[in-house]
Amino acid sequence: AVVSRQIDYTQPDVRLVGSLSACVGDSVQVQAQATHVAAYLARFRWSGPNNFSSTASSITIPRVSAATAGPYSVTATYPDFC
C-alpha cells in the first residue's frame, strides 16, 4: 500500500508594528507579526546595520546613532515539521 499526504506550505505575511522611523538618540521598538492563519508557528530572523541580528519577534534599538541607523529587514518562516 502507498500512503501519501499533501502538505500545504505557505510563507507567512508579516506586518510591522511600532516606530518605523526615529531621530538620533531615540529608542525604537518594532514587532513583526505573522498574519497567516498559523501565525503562532512563525519564526523570525532580523538583520540590520553593524552586523545586527535577532531571532525574536520584537527588536529594540535603545539609542539610535550613526552606527545603528539604516535599513533593517525581517524574514518570517515556518519550522520544518518533517
Side-chain angles (χ1 to χ4, degrees), residues 13-54:
D13 291 324
V14 176
R15 176 179 55 218
L16 297 179
V17 177
S19 303
L20 301 179
S21 64
C23 295
V24 171
D26 287 350
S27 177
V28 174
Q29 183 171 11
V30 180
Q31 180 179 20
Q33 297 176 341
T35 59
H36 188 269
V37 66
Y40 67 95
L41 298 173
R43 300 294 179 257
F44 299 96
R45 181 172 307 271
W46 290 87
S47 62
N50 207 21
N51 295 317
F52 175 84
S53 67
S54 176

